[in-house]
Amino acid sequence: PEPLANQVAKLMTNSNSCTSVHIQMAGIEALKGPQDESYKMVEAFKERRDVIVKGLNQIPGIHCLLPKGAFYVFPNVSEVVKRGKFANAKAFADHLLQEGGVAALSGSAFGQYGEGYLRFSYANSIENINKALDRIDSVVSKLK
């Protein structure tokens, strides 16, 4: 509703665009200070990325390229959608959540060219990523 949108716009302007001086100073100090923990986190995310990409590519019908940023993968699941006779990738994502307990966002949420893809986050432990991969594999293998 427009009255609510106007109030949200005011909130966003003041919380995002008009950042207070003490927060700006803290940001400068964070950027000037030691970056050791940041480098460790980058390496941890690269390891998680490599685990999920390799695991997804080992599941028949799923094809995943190696992303170069963020902490998401965007595998093509078109073959799985066809094999399972799902209406679209969103229907497969819903099935994956219900049957395997794995959440994914349909690529169509990003526009028409995202159809046939799912987005998974790897902002989790390697142990949980491997559990998710096992569950995805189990769900997909039952679609024969």
Side-chain angles (χ1 to χ4, degrees):
E2 191 170 332
L4 181 59
N6 291 332
Q7 298 306 314
V8 170
K10 288 179 191 176
L11 174 66
M12 297 311 296
T13 296
N14 289 300
S15 65
N16 295 333
S17 298
C18 303
T19 307
S20 62
V21 173
H22 70 282
I23 296 298
Q24 292 178 43
M25 302 289 270
I28 290 168
E29 289 304 312
L31 292 171
K32 288 179 8 184
Q35 300 298 309
D36 299 345
E37 292 303 314
S38 297
Y39 297 138
K40 286 181 190 175
M41 197 57 150
V42 167
E43 289 307 312
F45 275 100
K46 282 182 182 177
E47 184 179 5
R48 295 170 189 178
R49 177 202 62 190
D50 293 347
V51 167
I52 197 167
V53 169
K54 181 180 179 185
L56 287 169
N57 282 324
Q58 290 177 343
I59 299 172
I62 298 180
H63 306 284
C64 188
L65 298 175
L66 191 69
K68 296 187 179 176
F71 43 81
Y72 300 104
V73 290
F74 205 60
N76 185 312
V77 295
S78 298
E79 291 177 36
V80 174
V81 169
K82 287 179 190 172
R83 185 180 335 138
K85 297 183 173 73
F86 295 103
N88 50 40
K90 182 185 181 319
F92 172 56
D94 292 343
H95 179 77
L96 190 56
L97 180 60
Q98 293 299 317
E99 297 300 316
V102 177
L105 183 61
S106 172
S108 61
F110 302 100
Q112 68 182 12
Y113 299 109
E115 179 52 51
Y117 293 82
L118 294 181
R119 185 181 80 168
F120 293 101
S121 170
Y122 54 89
N124 212 312
S125 69
I126 289 180
E127 178 184 1
N128 284 338
I129 291 168
N130 281 322
K131 284 181 187 177
L133 289 166
D134 288 343
R135 291 177 181 185
I136 295 166
D137 187 38
S138 177
V139 169
V140 169
S141 69
K142 293 176 185 173
L143 297 177
K144 296 178 180 177

